[in-house]
Amino acid sequence: MMKYELALVLSAKIEDEERAAMVEKVQAMITTAGAAITNVDEWGKKQLAYEIQKMKEGYYYFIQFEGKTTVPAELEERLRIEETVLRFLCVKQDA
C-alpha cells in the first residue's frame, strides 16, 4: 500500500450542500477503488493564482489515503468528468 495525497479545488459558485456532497462523492470514489482514507483537510475558500473558467476563487481540499498504485489513475479518470472540480492533483507521499 502506497500513501497518496489528492489536492482538490472545487468551484466557488456551488452551494455548501452541493460542495459537501461532492467531497463525499470523491471520498466514496477513493474507498470503492480499494483505498483507505487517512485524513481530509479542508482549507476553505482561497484566491486562485490565475482565473479558471472565469473564476478567481475556489474551495481547497486535501485528502490523504493509502491504496494500490492503480488508485490514482482511476481517480483522475473519474474526476476529469466532474464539472464542479476545477483542478486536482494526486501525488505519492514520501515514506
Side-chain angles (χ1 to χ4, degrees), residues 4-10 59-65 79 85 87-91:
Y4 295 97
E5 182 175 53
L6 174 68
L8 189 65
V9 181
L10 299 179
Y59 285 95
Y60 284 73
Y61 292 89
F62 293 90
I63 303 171
Q64 296 172 343
F65 61 93
L79 289 173
V85 176
R87 290 287 187 270
F88 63 90
L89 179 65
C90 190
V91 294

Side-chain angles (χ1 to χ4, degrees), residues 6-12 14 18-19 21-23 25-26 29 48 52-53 55 58-59 61 63 75-76 78-89:
L6 174 68
L8 189 65
V9 181
L10 299 179
S11 171
I14 60 175
E18 191 178 348
R19 192 174 64 250
M22 186 63 207
V23 172
K25 184 177 179 180
V26 171
M29 287 179 197
L48 299 173
I52 302 172
Q53 299 175 4
M55 286 182 249
Y59 285 95
Y61 292 89
I63 303 171
L75 267 177
E76 289 179 13
R78 292 180 179 173
L79 289 173
R80 275 197 180 95
I81 60 174
E82 294 294 333
E83 291 181 18
T84 58
V85 176
L86 297 179
R87 290 287 187 270
F88 63 90
L89 179 65

